[in-house]
Amino acid sequence: MALRRGRQMIESVRRAIHADTSERTLTAAVPIIDDSTVVRVIDLAMRVAEVMLSVGASAKEVVLAALRITRVYGLASVHVDVTFNSVTISDHRHGEDWPITLMRVVRSAVPDHAKLQALQTLVRDVEAGLDLDEARARFHQIRRRPFRYRPSIVMLSQALLAVGVGVMFGASPTILVVTFAAALAVALTQAGLARLQVPLFFSQIAGALVLTVLTVVTAMLASAGIEPFVDVRAAIVVSSGIVLMLAGLAVVGAAQDAIDGFSLTAGGRILELTVQTLGVVLGIVIGLELARALGIGMEAPSEALPLGPLPGQFTGAVIVAIAVAMFNGAGLGIIAVSAVLGVIAWAGFAVASAAGFAQAPASFAGALIASIVGAVMAHHLHVPSVAVTTAAIVPLVPGAVVFRGLLGLVESAGDTGDILSAASTLTTAGMVGIALAAGATLGLFAGSPLGRTLGDLRVLRRMQPRPTAGGARLIVGTAPTSASRGERGGA
């Protein structure tokens, strides 16, 4: 008896440690889907993924959307590969069938957050039971949808962004008018070069050169005592333009891809960011060098450009967030959320700065708080989280720091101390950029599960027992349907 109990105990311990191969299911139910249907399903998933990647979604969001679509229509063994400019989807099938693999090249990358929101709504409706043919028809309607705003409105919103930056620095009405004109000239220059299909690198150089030339001319008129340019602070004009040209860079998406493990896509985006930023730097340096060669040099400021009154700072942050959301093609819902998050981001930055933190950690705090709140709000309102987060952190872009460092580098005249000071300023600008990307990405990483948790709790509260006419207490579910979710998610 004791021997048998000992053997039973040993066997129980063995089963607790080792897996029993006899209990494994060696077969699985495999749905039989004809090849033509498989191709149509993969084609839909691949096209949705391609458009999502081209309008600003992260690689992880693209992969998850493709897998959600294929899984709904019965394809369980699908592999999705996303690179910087291509999407590949393969279904390994079953038995001895050959795999079906399709690939599509992403030819352009222009943010369009309204289209991204419509694609996310389509994926949710597919999971809710949308027919394949109807899903394909709806996708083609979304793909052919034009950009929400006309080019003139986009350029005006870009100029409005520069005005918002000027408001944050306490600029006078005269400075704001000059800033608006300079930013509009930059927007017109870049739009004209885009029509000629000039690469964005050269477009950034041209825009920065135009901005610098106009700023130098303004400074020259001010030094000559010509009204109304006497009180114009040229540093505000060029700093606002720098923020304008850096606002469209997908910093958050690049950092998110790197953290999510999509190294190839992240590497491509980071290289693109670096090249575009170098274009801005080269354009400003060329403009400053030309001005110095003509004897119209500008004196490098010894201190950082001071911000204006606190109410003006928040007003400017709201203007900037709204402008960014508009030229990214956002609808009214995303614009409203972006404005709120712009206030939250700047409040976090202001509180951290008042507590004694340097610019980089204060920017990290502002971006982190705004992205956490933005992820929760995006999940509740069914809007793309990357859209509202990007617009919220643009007011924190260190345009004034970049200009001060570049101007100090050009005007150093070979002095070692001035060169080191300018290099230190540019290093600070780089640290602020990294802090913004890290804070926004960490906030999205932490806020997305929080938003899903709060959403589940809200559904549970709606499903509390309610008394019926017969006196019994039954569970009456009032969770929102997929149709109502799609209506709320509309821009």
Side-chain angles (χ1 to χ4, degrees), residues 191-366:
L193 293 176
R195 284 181 175 271
L196 298 175
Q197 297 184 348
V198 175
L200 187 56
F201 173 70
F202 299 107
S203 177
Q204 292 282 80
I205 293 178
L209 181 59
V210 169
L211 174 68
T212 308
V213 169
L214 292 176
T215 304
V216 170
V217 171
T218 302
M220 183 180 63
L221 295 175
S223 62
I226 300 176
E227 294 289 346
F229 301 99
V230 175
D231 297 329
V232 173
R233 289 187 289 172
I236 294 180
V237 179
V238 72
S239 300
S240 303
I242 290 173
V243 175
L244 164 63
M245 287 183 288
L246 297 180
L249 305 186
V251 178
V252 178
Q256 191 172 354
D257 288 343
I259 292 175
D260 290 337
F262 294 88
S263 303
L264 187 60
T265 308
R269 289 188 173 183
I270 291 172
L271 180 60
E272 183 182 49
L273 290 173
T274 304
V275 170
Q276 294 175 9
T277 305
L278 285 177
V280 176
V281 171
L282 285 175
I284 294 174
V285 170
I286 292 172
L288 293 175
E289 286 287 356
L290 288 176
R292 190 171 66 87
L294 296 174
I296 323 174
M298 298 174 61
E299 183 180 354
S302 58
E303 297 181 356
L305 190 64
L307 292 168
L310 197 59
Q313 296 177 26
F314 282 102
T315 302
V318 170
I319 294 174
V320 171
I322 291 175
V324 173
M326 286 184 63
F327 72 69
N328 281 333
L332 184 60
I334 297 179
I335 291 176
V337 175
S338 299
V340 173
L341 293 179
V343 173
I344 293 175
W346 194 259
F349 172 79
V351 170
S353 298
F357 287 93
Q359 186 174 0
S363 300
F364 174 83

